């Protein structure tokens, strides 16, 4: 960390800062210029709080020089991490599409969805049994019974399941019922207690970006999971809030190269919640893969107009099939496999 002192800082104030740095077990190196004095804190600077140092008399600014995240940073682990989901690899050269309905509804809907997922050549299935809805009067998901329904339909097609965990009290049951990938939704990206708990298990976690979260906040959220020991983390960009109202959210495709530079962990995109309309999904999905995403989370319903949740943005089985063939071609140009 670098601490820049005010031009008028006294020797006593400089010594006070040095003492604070040494109290934390770090070394201090002082550079006295004509204009200003700059103090460098040497050692693991993450334990120093810039706000606390800035509150000291004579301090103008305190700046971290290393990234606040460590385990998830590419700086510390250069190789791309490949997440293994029951033998299906995601990351590196491997792209995985994850598809299925927004929510689990009935056994026949899930059976039809699983068949459509499989027929399109998709290897992983999504579906929510617990739904985080804006209104308490909207359908909230059918709960644990939905997980059984989902597992049965997906297992019949040999598809691992991806589902959202809303409540830390549900985690054990999720594991007992064989959830293969835990999704942490947008609204919970900074639910730190939930992040700590999924950090203690080894099931892969999809961490969606918060509605208005910065890349740095998102990386720190992943660091919460990683610091518990679970390094099987997949970032998922799902559209962010902006001034634009013509679509549900803005798919931040720039997040893909930026995250890939910052972290070794895989990055996928959810074009469905980004656009919010089924007709936008193929275009956004193609852009995501072209930009270097390691996969997609796409909502598909056997009969979209009957969906209990997010009916407007679900593509149908034949659209999924067409999309898969287009994505396979884009991937091959990039020397990647779907
Ligand atoms: C979902 O994937 O069904 C979902 C609720 O997504 P998000 O958290 O991105 O809104
Ligand atoms: Mn949805």
């Amino acid at each position: 960390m670098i601490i820049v002192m005010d031009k008028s800082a006294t020797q006593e104030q400089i010594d006070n800062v040095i003492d604070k740095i040494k109290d934390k077990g770090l070394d201090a190196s002082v550079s006295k210029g004509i204009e200003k004095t700059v103090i460098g804190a040497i050692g693991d600077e993450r334990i120093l709080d810039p706000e606390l140092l800035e509150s000291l008399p004579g301090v103008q600014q305190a700046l971290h020089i290393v990234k606040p995240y460590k385990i998830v940073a590419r700086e510390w682990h250069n190789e791309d991490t490949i997440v293994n989901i029951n033998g299906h690899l995601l990351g590196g050269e491997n792209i995985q599409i994850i598809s299925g309905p927004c929510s689990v509804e009935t056994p026949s809907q899930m059976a039809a969805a699983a068949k459509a997922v499989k027929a399109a050549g998709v290897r992983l299935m999504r579906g929510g049994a617990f739904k985080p809805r804006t209104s308490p009067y909207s359908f909230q998901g059918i709960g644990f019974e939905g997980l059984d329904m989902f597992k049965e339909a997906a297992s019949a097609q040999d598809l691992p399941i991806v589902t959202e965990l809303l409540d830390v009290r549900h985690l054990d049951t999720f594991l007992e019922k064989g959830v293969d990938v835990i999704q942490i939704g947008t609204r919970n990206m900074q639910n730190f207690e939930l992040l700590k708990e999924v950090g203690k298990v080894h099931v892969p976690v999809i961490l969606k970006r918060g509605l208005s979260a910065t890349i740095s906040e998102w990386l720190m959220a992943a660091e919460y999971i990683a610091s518990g020991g679970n390094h099987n983390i997949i970032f998922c960009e799902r559209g962010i809030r902006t001034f634009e109202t013509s679509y549900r959210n803005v798919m931040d495709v720039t997040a893909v190269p930026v995250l890939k530079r910052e972290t070794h962990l895989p990055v996928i995109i959810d074009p469905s919640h980004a656009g919010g309309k089924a007709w936008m999904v193929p275009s956004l999905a193609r852009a995501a893969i072209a930009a270097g995403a390691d996969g997609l989370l796409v909502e598909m319903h056997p009969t979209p107009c009957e969906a209990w949740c997010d009916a407007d943005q679900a593509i149908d089985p034949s659209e999924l099939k067409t999309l898969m063939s287009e994505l396979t071609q884009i991937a091959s140009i990039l020397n990647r496999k779907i």
Side-chain angles (χ1 to χ4, degrees), residues 101-103 126-128 130-133 164 183-188 208-209 211 236-239 248-249 270 273-274 297 299 309-310 313:
C102 179
S103 63
R126 64 148 288 147
F130 294 88
K131 297 306 304 175
R133 306 304 300 278
E164 180 166 354
Q183 180 176 319
I184 299 293
T186 296
R187 293 152 191 87
N188 275 316
K208 286 197 152 192
R209 183 181 188 175
L211 270 183
C236 180
E237 158 62 35
R238 47 77 73 203
R248 190 170 179 181
N249 292 294
D270 170 348
H273 291 86
L297 190 63
E299 288 189 347
C309 184
D310 285 347
Q313 66 192 35

PDB file of all heavy atoms in Angstrom, residues 101-103 126-128 130-133 164 183-188 208-209 211 236-239 248-249 270 273-274 297 299 309-310 313, ligand 1:
ATOM      1  N   PRO A 101     -35.922 -24.837 -18.304  1.00  0.00           N
ATOM      2  CA  PRO A 101     -36.914 -23.804 -17.991  1.00  0.00           C
ATOM      3  C   PRO A 101     -36.464 -22.904 -16.843  1.00  0.00           C
ATOM      4  O   PRO A 101     -35.598 -23.275 -16.063  1.00  0.00           O
ATOM      5  CB  PRO A 101     -38.140 -24.611 -17.584  1.00  0.00           C
ATOM      6  CG  PRO A 101     -37.591 -25.896 -17.069  1.00  0.00           C
ATOM      7  CD  PRO A 101     -36.350 -26.178 -17.855  1.00  0.00           C
ATOM      8  N   CYS A 102     -37.109 -21.740 -16.766  1.00  0.00           N
ATOM      9  CA  CYS A 102     -36.843 -20.846 -15.643  1.00  0.00           C
ATOM     10  C   CYS A 102     -37.179 -21.602 -14.363  1.00  0.00           C
ATOM     11  O   CYS A 102     -36.369 -21.700 -13.465  1.00  0.00           O
ATOM     12  CB  CYS A 102     -37.701 -19.585 -15.774  1.00  0.00           C
ATOM     13  SG  CYS A 102     -37.438 -18.459 -14.412  1.00  0.00           S
ATOM     14  N   SER A 103     -38.394 -22.178 -14.330  1.00  0.00           N
ATOM     15  CA  SER A 103     -38.781 -22.870 -13.096  1.00  0.00           C
ATOM     16  C   SER A 103     -39.298 -24.279 -13.360  1.00  0.00           C
ATOM     17  O   SER A 103     -39.822 -24.586 -14.437  1.00  0.00           O
ATOM     18  CB  SER A 103     -39.835 -22.057 -12.348  1.00  0.00           C
ATOM     19  OG  SER A 103     -40.983 -21.959 -13.125  1.00  0.00           O
ATOM     20  N   ARG A 126     -30.789 -26.672 -16.532  1.00  0.00           N
ATOM     21  CA  ARG A 126     -31.137 -25.714 -15.479  1.00  0.00           C
ATOM     22  C   ARG A 126     -32.634 -25.797 -15.140  1.00  0.00           C
ATOM     23  O   ARG A 126     -33.441 -26.295 -15.935  1.00  0.00           O
ATOM     24  CB  ARG A 126     -30.797 -24.277 -15.879  1.00  0.00           C
ATOM     25  CG  ARG A 126     -31.565 -23.715 -17.075  1.00  0.00           C
ATOM     26  CD  ARG A 126     -31.794 -22.195 -16.945  1.00  0.00           C
ATOM     27  NE  ARG A 126     -32.786 -21.885 -15.931  1.00  0.00           N
ATOM     28  CZ  ARG A 126     -32.782 -20.804 -15.167  1.00  0.00           C
ATOM     29  NH1 ARG A 126     -31.856 -19.897 -15.321  1.00  0.00           N
ATOM     30  NH2 ARG A 126     -33.738 -20.616 -14.263  1.00  0.00           N
ATOM     31  N   GLY A 127     -33.000 -25.270 -13.992  1.00  0.00           N
ATOM     32  CA  GLY A 127     -34.401 -25.198 -13.584  1.00  0.00           C
ATOM     33  C   GLY A 127     -34.446 -24.733 -12.135  1.00  0.00           C
ATOM     34  O   GLY A 127     -33.647 -25.188 -11.314  1.00  0.00           O
ATOM     35  N   GLY A 128     -35.352 -23.824 -11.835  1.00  0.00           N
ATOM     36  CA  GLY A 128     -35.416 -23.295 -10.471  1.00  0.00           C
ATOM     37  C   GLY A 128     -36.572 -23.898  -9.695  1.00  0.00           C
ATOM     38  O   GLY A 128     -37.720 -23.890 -10.152  1.00  0.00           O
ATOM     39  N   PHE A 130     -36.800 -22.956  -6.365  1.00  0.00           N
ATOM     40  CA  PHE A 130     -37.046 -21.807  -5.464  1.00  0.00           C
ATOM     41  C   PHE A 130     -36.796 -20.567  -6.306  1.00  0.00           C
ATOM     42  O   PHE A 130     -35.692 -20.379  -6.824  1.00  0.00           O
ATOM     43  CB  PHE A 130     -36.082 -21.843  -4.269  1.00  0.00           C
ATOM     44  CG  PHE A 130     -36.324 -23.021  -3.362  1.00  0.00           C
ATOM     45  CD1 PHE A 130     -35.691 -24.242  -3.600  1.00  0.00           C
ATOM     46  CD2 PHE A 130     -37.199 -22.921  -2.279  1.00  0.00           C
ATOM     47  CE1 PHE A 130     -35.925 -25.340  -2.775  1.00  0.00           C
ATOM     48  CE2 PHE A 130     -37.435 -24.016  -1.447  1.00  0.00           C
ATOM     49  CZ  PHE A 130     -36.800 -25.222  -1.698  1.00  0.00           C
ATOM     50  N   LYS A 131     -37.803 -19.734  -6.466  1.00  0.00           N
ATOM     51  CA  LYS A 131     -37.676 -18.579  -7.357  1.00  0.00           C
ATOM     52  C   LYS A 131     -37.652 -17.257  -6.586  1.00  0.00           C
ATOM     53  O   LYS A 131     -38.545 -16.990  -5.789  1.00  0.00           O
ATOM     54  CB  LYS A 131     -38.864 -18.548  -8.344  1.00  0.00           C
ATOM     55  CG  LYS A 131     -38.963 -19.716  -9.292  1.00  0.00           C
ATOM     56  CD  LYS A 131     -37.712 -19.973 -10.108  1.00  0.00           C
ATOM     57  CE  LYS A 131     -37.227 -18.814 -10.930  1.00  0.00           C
ATOM     58  NZ  LYS A 131     -35.923 -19.088 -11.611  1.00  0.00           N
ATOM     59  N   PRO A 132     -36.647 -16.439  -6.858  1.00  0.00           N
ATOM     60  CA  PRO A 132     -36.576 -15.129  -6.201  1.00  0.00           C
ATOM     61  C   PRO A 132     -37.401 -14.117  -6.997  1.00  0.00           C
ATOM     62  O   PRO A 132     -36.922 -13.570  -7.982  1.00  0.00           O
ATOM     63  CB  PRO A 132     -35.076 -14.793  -6.292  1.00  0.00           C
ATOM     64  CG  PRO A 132     -34.619 -15.476  -7.551  1.00  0.00           C
ATOM     65  CD  PRO A 132     -35.523 -16.646  -7.791  1.00  0.00           C
ATOM     66  N   ARG A 133     -38.648 -13.900  -6.633  1.00  0.00           N
ATOM     67  CA  ARG A 133     -39.521 -13.034  -7.434  1.00  0.00           C
ATOM     68  C   ARG A 133     -39.623 -11.639  -6.839  1.00  0.00           C
ATOM     69  O   ARG A 133     -39.609 -11.478  -5.615  1.00  0.00           O
ATOM     70  CB  ARG A 133     -40.925 -13.652  -7.534  1.00  0.00           C
ATOM     71  CG  ARG A 133     -40.959 -15.084  -8.046  1.00  0.00           C
ATOM     72  CD  ARG A 133     -40.298 -15.263  -9.404  1.00  0.00           C
ATOM     73  NE  ARG A 133     -40.899 -14.493 -10.460  1.00  0.00           N
ATOM     74  CZ  ARG A 133     -41.991 -14.842 -11.140  1.00  0.00           C
ATOM     75  NH1 ARG A 133     -42.577 -15.993 -10.866  1.00  0.00           N
ATOM     76  NH2 ARG A 133     -42.486 -14.065 -12.083  1.00  0.00           N
ATOM     77  N   GLU A 164     -30.974 -22.900  -8.410  1.00  0.00           N
ATOM     78  CA  GLU A 164     -30.631 -21.769  -7.540  1.00  0.00           C
ATOM     79  C   GLU A 164     -30.876 -22.073  -6.063  1.00  0.00           C
ATOM     80  O   GLU A 164     -31.940 -22.559  -5.677  1.00  0.00           O
ATOM     81  CB  GLU A 164     -31.436 -20.521  -7.953  1.00  0.00           C
ATOM     82  CG  GLU A 164     -31.115 -19.327  -7.069  1.00  0.00           C
ATOM     83  CD  GLU A 164     -31.605 -17.988  -7.604  1.00  0.00           C
ATOM     84  OE1 GLU A 164     -32.118 -17.925  -8.737  1.00  0.00           O
ATOM     85  OE2 GLU A 164     -31.466 -16.992  -6.860  1.00  0.00           O
ATOM     86  N   GLN A 183     -26.562 -22.614  -8.110  1.00  0.00           N
ATOM     87  CA  GLN A 183     -26.587 -21.266  -8.691  1.00  0.00           C
ATOM     88  C   GLN A 183     -26.849 -20.250  -7.580  1.00  0.00           C
ATOM     89  O   GLN A 183     -27.782 -20.405  -6.805  1.00  0.00           O
ATOM     90  CB  GLN A 183     -27.705 -21.217  -9.730  1.00  0.00           C
ATOM     91  CG  GLN A 183     -27.870 -19.884 -10.426  1.00  0.00           C
ATOM     92  CD  GLN A 183     -28.932 -19.951 -11.524  1.00  0.00           C
ATOM     93  OE1 GLN A 183     -29.003 -20.943 -12.275  1.00  0.00           O
ATOM     94  NE2 GLN A 183     -29.763 -18.949 -11.623  1.00  0.00           N
ATOM     95  N   ILE A 184     -25.977 -19.247  -7.506  1.00  0.00           N
ATOM     96  CA  ILE A 184     -26.229 -18.128  -6.587  1.00  0.00           C
ATOM     97  C   ILE A 184     -26.740 -17.005  -7.477  1.00  0.00           C
ATOM     98  O   ILE A 184     -26.042 -16.547  -8.393  1.00  0.00           O
ATOM     99  CB  ILE A 184     -24.944 -17.690  -5.829  1.00  0.00           C
ATOM    100  CG1 ILE A 184     -24.391 -18.849  -4.974  1.00  0.00           C
ATOM    101  CG2 ILE A 184     -25.218 -16.452  -4.965  1.00  0.00           C
ATOM    102  CD1 ILE A 184     -25.258 -19.290  -3.807  1.00  0.00           C
ATOM    103  N   GLY A 185     -27.964 -16.595  -7.236  1.00  0.00           N
ATOM    104  CA  GLY A 185     -28.623 -15.629  -8.113  1.00  0.00           C
ATOM    105  C   GLY A 185     -28.151 -14.207  -7.891  1.00  0.00           C
ATOM    106  O   GLY A 185     -27.486 -13.887  -6.890  1.00  0.00           O
ATOM    107  N   THR A 186     -28.539 -13.397  -8.859  1.00  0.00           N
ATOM    108  CA  THR A 186     -28.215 -11.976  -8.837  1.00  0.00           C
ATOM    109  C   THR A 186     -28.489 -11.313  -7.505  1.00  0.00           C
ATOM    110  O   THR A 186     -27.677 -10.563  -6.991  1.00  0.00           O
ATOM    111  CB  THR A 186     -29.111 -11.312  -9.906  1.00  0.00           C
ATOM    112  OG1 THR A 186     -28.700 -11.860 -11.141  1.00  0.00           O
ATOM    113  CG2 THR A 186     -28.981  -9.824  -9.939  1.00  0.00           C
ATOM    114  N   ARG A 187     -29.655 -11.608  -6.963  1.00  0.00           N
ATOM    115  CA  ARG A 187     -30.078 -10.932  -5.733  1.00  0.00           C
ATOM    116  C   ARG A 187     -29.275 -11.368  -4.518  1.00  0.00           C
ATOM    117  O   ARG A 187     -29.342 -10.743  -3.478  1.00  0.00           O
ATOM    118  CB  ARG A 187     -31.581 -11.143  -5.511  1.00  0.00           C
ATOM    119  CG  ARG A 187     -32.403 -10.440  -6.582  1.00  0.00           C
ATOM    120  CD  ARG A 187     -33.733 -11.115  -6.844  1.00  0.00           C
ATOM    121  NE  ARG A 187     -34.350 -10.564  -8.042  1.00  0.00           N
ATOM    122  CZ  ARG A 187     -34.115 -11.019  -9.274  1.00  0.00           C
ATOM    123  NH1 ARG A 187     -33.273 -12.009  -9.474  1.00  0.00           N
ATOM    124  NH2 ARG A 187     -34.709 -10.464 -10.313  1.00  0.00           N
ATOM    125  N   ASN A 188     -28.550 -12.445  -4.656  1.00  0.00           N
ATOM    126  CA  ASN A 188     -27.755 -12.950  -3.525  1.00  0.00           C
ATOM    127  C   ASN A 188     -26.246 -12.839  -3.730  1.00  0.00           C
ATOM    128  O   ASN A 188     -25.487 -13.412  -2.965  1.00  0.00           O
ATOM    129  CB  ASN A 188     -28.118 -14.413  -3.251  1.00  0.00           C
ATOM    130  CG  ASN A 188     -29.326 -14.522  -2.343  1.00  0.00           C
ATOM    131  OD1 ASN A 188     -29.433 -13.809  -1.348  1.00  0.00           O
ATOM    132  ND2 ASN A 188     -30.255 -15.397  -2.687  1.00  0.00           N
ATOM    133  N   LYS A 208     -23.864 -15.557 -10.122  1.00  0.00           N
ATOM    134  CA  LYS A 208     -24.391 -14.539 -11.033  1.00  0.00           C
ATOM    135  C   LYS A 208     -23.982 -13.141 -10.575  1.00  0.00           C
ATOM    136  O   LYS A 208     -23.807 -12.910  -9.375  1.00  0.00           O
ATOM    137  CB  LYS A 208     -25.905 -14.672 -11.116  1.00  0.00           C
ATOM    138  CG  LYS A 208     -26.334 -15.873 -11.947  1.00  0.00           C
ATOM    139  CD  LYS A 208     -27.772 -15.736 -12.355  1.00  0.00           C
ATOM    140  CE  LYS A 208     -28.061 -16.456 -13.645  1.00  0.00           C
ATOM    141  NZ  LYS A 208     -29.381 -16.065 -14.158  1.00  0.00           N
ATOM    142  N   ARG A 209     -23.872 -12.252 -11.530  1.00  0.00           N
ATOM    143  CA  ARG A 209     -23.492 -10.879 -11.196  1.00  0.00           C
ATOM    144  C   ARG A 209     -24.690 -10.127 -10.628  1.00  0.00           C
ATOM    145  O   ARG A 209     -25.798 -10.207 -11.161  1.00  0.00           O
ATOM    146  CB  ARG A 209     -23.014 -10.178 -12.469  1.00  0.00           C
ATOM    147  CG  ARG A 209     -22.536  -8.771 -12.238  1.00  0.00           C
ATOM    148  CD  ARG A 209     -22.101  -8.157 -13.549  1.00  0.00           C
ATOM    149  NE  ARG A 209     -21.473  -6.870 -13.354  1.00  0.00           N
ATOM    150  CZ  ARG A 209     -20.925  -6.177 -14.334  1.00  0.00           C
ATOM    151  NH1 ARG A 209     -20.922  -6.668 -15.565  1.00  0.00           N
ATOM    152  NH2 ARG A 209     -20.383  -5.006 -14.106  1.00  0.00           N
ATOM    153  N   LEU A 211     -27.277  -7.147  -9.838  1.00  0.00           N
ATOM    154  CA  LEU A 211     -27.927  -6.195 -10.770  1.00  0.00           C
ATOM    155  C   LEU A 211     -27.106  -4.944 -11.054  1.00  0.00           C
ATOM    156  O   LEU A 211     -27.110  -4.427 -12.156  1.00  0.00           O
ATOM    157  CB  LEU A 211     -29.229  -5.707 -10.138  1.00  0.00           C
ATOM    158  CG  LEU A 211     -30.489  -6.465 -10.408  1.00  0.00           C
ATOM    159  CD1 LEU A 211     -31.655  -5.771  -9.740  1.00  0.00           C
ATOM    160  CD2 LEU A 211     -30.741  -6.584 -11.906  1.00  0.00           C
ATOM    161  N   CYS A 236     -21.200 -15.747 -13.858  1.00  0.00           N
ATOM    162  CA  CYS A 236     -22.258 -15.655 -14.877  1.00  0.00           C
ATOM    163  C   CYS A 236     -22.767 -14.218 -14.991  1.00  0.00           C
ATOM    164  O   CYS A 236     -23.402 -13.703 -14.073  1.00  0.00           O
ATOM    165  CB  CYS A 236     -23.409 -16.606 -14.547  1.00  0.00           C
ATOM    166  SG  CYS A 236     -24.747 -16.520 -15.766  1.00  0.00           S
ATOM    167  N   GLU A 237     -22.468 -13.627 -16.130  1.00  0.00           N
ATOM    168  CA  GLU A 237     -22.983 -12.282 -16.446  1.00  0.00           C
ATOM    169  C   GLU A 237     -24.430 -12.457 -16.931  1.00  0.00           C
ATOM    170  O   GLU A 237     -24.691 -13.277 -17.799  1.00  0.00           O
ATOM    171  CB  GLU A 237     -22.082 -11.667 -17.535  1.00  0.00           C
ATOM    172  CG  GLU A 237     -22.701 -10.545 -18.362  1.00  0.00           C
ATOM    173  CD  GLU A 237     -23.088  -9.315 -17.556  1.00  0.00           C
ATOM    174  OE1 GLU A 237     -22.396  -8.973 -16.583  1.00  0.00           O
ATOM    175  OE2 GLU A 237     -24.105  -8.703 -17.915  1.00  0.00           O
ATOM    176  N   ARG A 238     -25.362 -11.699 -16.353  1.00  0.00           N
ATOM    177  CA  ARG A 238     -26.779 -11.875 -16.712  1.00  0.00           C
ATOM    178  C   ARG A 238     -27.466 -10.549 -17.007  1.00  0.00           C
ATOM    179  O   ARG A 238     -28.680 -10.434 -16.944  1.00  0.00           O
ATOM    180  CB  ARG A 238     -27.508 -12.670 -15.639  1.00  0.00           C
ATOM    181  CG  ARG A 238     -27.231 -12.205 -14.241  1.00  0.00           C
ATOM    182  CD  ARG A 238     -27.942 -10.960 -13.830  1.00  0.00           C
ATOM    183  NE  ARG A 238     -29.364 -11.216 -13.615  1.00  0.00           N
ATOM    184  CZ  ARG A 238     -30.297 -10.294 -13.682  1.00  0.00           C
ATOM    185  NH1 ARG A 238     -29.983  -9.032 -13.956  1.00  0.00           N
ATOM    186  NH2 ARG A 238     -31.565 -10.580 -13.467  1.00  0.00           N
ATOM    187  N   GLY A 239     -26.650  -9.554 -17.353  1.00  0.00           N
ATOM    188  CA  GLY A 239     -27.238  -8.251 -17.662  1.00  0.00           C
ATOM    189  C   GLY A 239     -27.231  -7.366 -16.435  1.00  0.00           C
ATOM    190  O   GLY A 239     -27.486  -7.834 -15.326  1.00  0.00           O
ATOM    191  N   ARG A 248     -34.699  -5.881 -20.894  1.00  0.00           N
ATOM    192  CA  ARG A 248     -34.763  -6.121 -19.442  1.00  0.00           C
ATOM    193  C   ARG A 248     -33.507  -5.604 -18.729  1.00  0.00           C
ATOM    194  O   ARG A 248     -33.578  -4.937 -17.711  1.00  0.00           O
ATOM    195  CB  ARG A 248     -34.942  -7.633 -19.210  1.00  0.00           C
ATOM    196  CG  ARG A 248     -35.260  -7.986 -17.776  1.00  0.00           C
ATOM    197  CD  ARG A 248     -35.663  -9.463 -17.640  1.00  0.00           C
ATOM    198  NE  ARG A 248     -35.938  -9.775 -16.249  1.00  0.00           N
ATOM    199  CZ  ARG A 248     -36.298 -10.970 -15.798  1.00  0.00           C
ATOM    200  NH1 ARG A 248     -36.436 -11.983 -16.641  1.00  0.00           N
ATOM    201  NH2 ARG A 248     -36.526 -11.172 -14.535  1.00  0.00           N
ATOM    202  N   ASN A 249     -32.348  -5.948 -19.280  1.00  0.00           N
ATOM    203  CA  ASN A 249     -31.061  -5.510 -18.715  1.00  0.00           C
ATOM    204  C   ASN A 249     -30.098  -5.335 -19.880  1.00  0.00           C
ATOM    205  O   ASN A 249     -30.422  -5.679 -21.021  1.00  0.00           O
ATOM    206  CB  ASN A 249     -30.511  -6.579 -17.761  1.00  0.00           C
ATOM    207  CG  ASN A 249     -31.345  -6.721 -16.500  1.00  0.00           C
ATOM    208  OD1 ASN A 249     -31.407  -5.809 -15.684  1.00  0.00           O
ATOM    209  ND2 ASN A 249     -32.029  -7.853 -16.359  1.00  0.00           N
ATOM    210  N   ASP A 270     -25.689 -15.371 -19.365  1.00  0.00           N
ATOM    211  CA  ASP A 270     -27.113 -15.710 -19.415  1.00  0.00           C
ATOM    212  C   ASP A 270     -27.786 -14.667 -20.304  1.00  0.00           C
ATOM    213  O   ASP A 270     -28.084 -13.559 -19.853  1.00  0.00           O
ATOM    214  CB  ASP A 270     -27.669 -15.674 -17.978  1.00  0.00           C
ATOM    215  CG  ASP A 270     -29.188 -15.784 -17.918  1.00  0.00           C
ATOM    216  OD1 ASP A 270     -29.846 -15.665 -18.962  1.00  0.00           O
ATOM    217  OD2 ASP A 270     -29.715 -15.971 -16.808  1.00  0.00           O
ATOM    218  N   HIS A 273     -31.909 -13.616 -19.214  1.00  0.00           N
ATOM    219  CA  HIS A 273     -32.245 -12.564 -18.249  1.00  0.00           C
ATOM    220  C   HIS A 273     -31.669 -11.221 -18.679  1.00  0.00           C
ATOM    221  O   HIS A 273     -32.122 -10.178 -18.209  1.00  0.00           O
ATOM    222  CB  HIS A 273     -31.783 -12.953 -16.841  1.00  0.00           C
ATOM    223  CG  HIS A 273     -32.583 -14.083 -16.271  1.00  0.00           C
ATOM    224  ND1 HIS A 273     -32.268 -15.395 -16.505  1.00  0.00           N
ATOM    225  CD2 HIS A 273     -33.717 -14.087 -15.530  1.00  0.00           C
ATOM    226  CE1 HIS A 273     -33.175 -16.169 -15.923  1.00  0.00           C
ATOM    227  NE2 HIS A 273     -34.069 -15.407 -15.318  1.00  0.00           N
ATOM    228  N   ALA A 274     -30.679 -11.252 -19.566  1.00  0.00           N
ATOM    229  CA  ALA A 274     -30.121  -9.981 -20.062  1.00  0.00           C
ATOM    230  C   ALA A 274     -31.143  -9.310 -20.982  1.00  0.00           C
ATOM    231  O   ALA A 274     -31.577  -8.182 -20.732  1.00  0.00           O
ATOM    232  CB  ALA A 274     -28.808 -10.238 -20.787  1.00  0.00           C
ATOM    233  N   LEU A 297     -26.114 -19.818 -20.062  1.00  0.00           N
ATOM    234  CA  LEU A 297     -27.253 -20.314 -19.283  1.00  0.00           C
ATOM    235  C   LEU A 297     -28.473 -19.785 -20.041  1.00  0.00           C
ATOM    236  O   LEU A 297     -28.695 -18.574 -20.066  1.00  0.00           O
ATOM    237  CB  LEU A 297     -27.161 -19.711 -17.880  1.00  0.00           C
ATOM    238  CG  LEU A 297     -28.069 -20.230 -16.779  1.00  0.00           C
ATOM    239  CD1 LEU A 297     -27.781 -21.698 -16.479  1.00  0.00           C
ATOM    240  CD2 LEU A 297     -27.852 -19.426 -15.498  1.00  0.00           C
ATOM    241  N   GLU A 299     -32.616 -19.989 -21.004  1.00  0.00           N
ATOM    242  CA  GLU A 299     -33.935 -20.503 -20.638  1.00  0.00           C
ATOM    243  C   GLU A 299     -34.653 -21.058 -21.864  1.00  0.00           C
ATOM    244  O   GLU A 299     -34.777 -20.384 -22.897  1.00  0.00           O
ATOM    245  CB  GLU A 299     -34.752 -19.408 -19.943  1.00  0.00           C
ATOM    246  CG  GLU A 299     -34.192 -19.175 -18.541  1.00  0.00           C
ATOM    247  CD  GLU A 299     -35.017 -18.277 -17.643  1.00  0.00           C
ATOM    248  OE1 GLU A 299     -35.935 -17.589 -18.144  1.00  0.00           O
ATOM    249  OE2 GLU A 299     -34.753 -18.247 -16.431  1.00  0.00           O
ATOM    250  N   CYS A 309     -43.123 -18.910 -15.279  1.00  0.00           N
ATOM    251  CA  CYS A 309     -42.185 -17.844 -14.888  1.00  0.00           C
ATOM    252  C   CYS A 309     -41.342 -17.489 -16.112  1.00  0.00           C
ATOM    253  O   CYS A 309     -40.906 -18.378 -16.838  1.00  0.00           O
ATOM    254  CB  CYS A 309     -41.310 -18.406 -13.762  1.00  0.00           C
ATOM    255  SG  CYS A 309     -40.162 -17.235 -13.061  1.00  0.00           S
ATOM    256  N   ASP A 310     -41.137 -16.213 -16.364  1.00  0.00           N
ATOM    257  CA  ASP A 310     -40.294 -15.737 -17.475  1.00  0.00           C
ATOM    258  C   ASP A 310     -40.683 -16.323 -18.839  1.00  0.00           C
ATOM    259  O   ASP A 310     -39.811 -16.681 -19.654  1.00  0.00           O
ATOM    260  CB  ASP A 310     -38.803 -16.015 -17.180  1.00  0.00           C
ATOM    261  CG  ASP A 310     -38.223 -15.049 -16.145  1.00  0.00           C
ATOM    262  OD1 ASP A 310     -38.884 -14.029 -15.837  1.00  0.00           O
ATOM    263  OD2 ASP A 310     -37.116 -15.313 -15.648  1.00  0.00           O
ATOM    264  N   GLN A 313     -39.195 -14.812 -22.217  1.00  0.00           N
ATOM    265  CA  GLN A 313     -37.793 -14.932 -22.620  1.00  0.00           C
ATOM    266  C   GLN A 313     -37.355 -16.365 -22.910  1.00  0.00           C
ATOM    267  O   GLN A 313     -36.198 -16.593 -23.260  1.00  0.00           O
ATOM    268  CB  GLN A 313     -36.876 -14.299 -21.564  1.00  0.00           C
ATOM    269  CG  GLN A 313     -36.868 -15.010 -20.225  1.00  0.00           C
ATOM    270  CD  GLN A 313     -36.178 -14.196 -19.126  1.00  0.00           C
ATOM    271  OE1 GLN A 313     -36.267 -12.982 -19.114  1.00  0.00           O
ATOM    272  NE2 GLN A 313     -35.471 -14.863 -18.234  1.00  0.00           N
TER     273      GLN A 313
HETATM  274  C1  LIG B   1     -32.744 -17.399 -12.956  1.00  0.00           C
HETATM  275  O1  LIG B   1     -31.697 -17.815 -13.484  1.00  0.00           O
HETATM  276  O2  LIG B   1     -33.823 -17.982 -13.059  1.00  0.00           O
HETATM  277  C2  LIG B   1     -32.703 -16.126 -12.221  1.00  0.00           C
HETATM  278  C3  LIG B   1     -33.637 -15.803 -11.326  1.00  0.00           C
HETATM  279  O3  LIG B   1     -31.680 -15.354 -12.582  1.00  0.00           O
HETATM  280  P1  LIG B   1     -31.106 -13.976 -11.980  1.00  0.00           P
HETATM  281  O4  LIG B   1     -30.617 -14.282 -10.612  1.00  0.00           O
HETATM  282  O5  LIG B   1     -30.014 -13.664 -12.956  1.00  0.00           O
HETATM  283  O6  LIG B   1     -32.219 -12.967 -12.026  1.00  0.00           O
END
